[in-house]
Amino acid sequence: MARFFRPIILIALCLLMSCQEGGDAGDLFGQWRMKGTDDKYISFSGTLVLFRSLQEGQVYGLFEHVGDSLFIRAYSIYGSAPDTAIVEGTFGMKPFDDIRLRITTLSSDELTLSKDGATWSFYQY
């Protein structure tokens, strides 16, 4: 039964992401490329976030932006280890299903996130 619902969840997430046109994303809206790489991106639209690595794949999640805090809950449609590896390994953001970050810089062309001494810098793409 769970196998039946997984594709439906993926389709619903894709539809929501394409229909939201920014919505609640505010200044986060759009695609951000990680500085120093050519293959790591994070995108925000409405309340959806997409982690994408050209080498590893992509993972969707939901986010909430409150003040200078960013809360992300990533989802693995198939419950696969590679999905967790993209977020936790490739991007270094943990834990997969409850990421809490501080937004240290947010402008029209720069985004800097931090947590426990780690820093992630992005530019608008």
Side-chain angles (χ1 to χ4, degrees):
M1 186 72 148
R3 284 182 129 188
F4 174 74
F5 288 109
R6 289 180 182 155
I8 291 173
I9 292 170
L10 178 60
I11 291 168
L13 283 173
C14 290
L15 288 173
L16 283 171
M17 188 142 192
S18 65
C19 294
Q20 290 189 2
E21 296 183 27
D24 296 335
D27 292 339
L28 290 170
F29 176 72
Q31 182 166 279
W32 300 84
R33 180 186 282 182
M34 185 178 277
K35 289 183 178 177
T37 71
D38 288 332
D39 70 337
K40 295 178 192 171
Y41 301 86
I42 190 167
S43 302
F44 298 92
S45 179
T47 58
L48 296 176
V49 62
L50 169 67
F51 292 93
R52 186 169 59 123
S53 166
L54 299 180
Q55 303 296 320
E56 307 292 328
Q58 61 188 22
V59 175
Y60 288 94
L62 298 174
F63 80 92
E64 185 178 2
H65 178 196
V66 179
D68 69 346
S69 298
L70 181 62
F71 304 97
I72 300 173
R73 183 170 299 277
Y75 290 95
S76 176
I77 301 300
Y78 297 104
S80 64
D83 289 346
T84 303
I86 290 170
V87 176
E88 293 187 353
T90 304
F91 283 87
M93 297 180 183
K94 299 178 182 179
F96 178 78
D97 61 349
D98 190 19
I99 303 166
R100 296 167 185 245
L101 304 167
R102 181 172 178 260
I103 299 174
T104 54
T105 306
L106 177 56
S107 67
S108 61
D109 60 350
E110 185 177 357
L111 170 64
T112 306
L113 305 171
S114 63
K115 178 181 180 178
D116 299 332
T119 301
W120 298 269
S121 296
F122 300 87
Y123 64 92
Q124 186 84 37
Y125 181 71

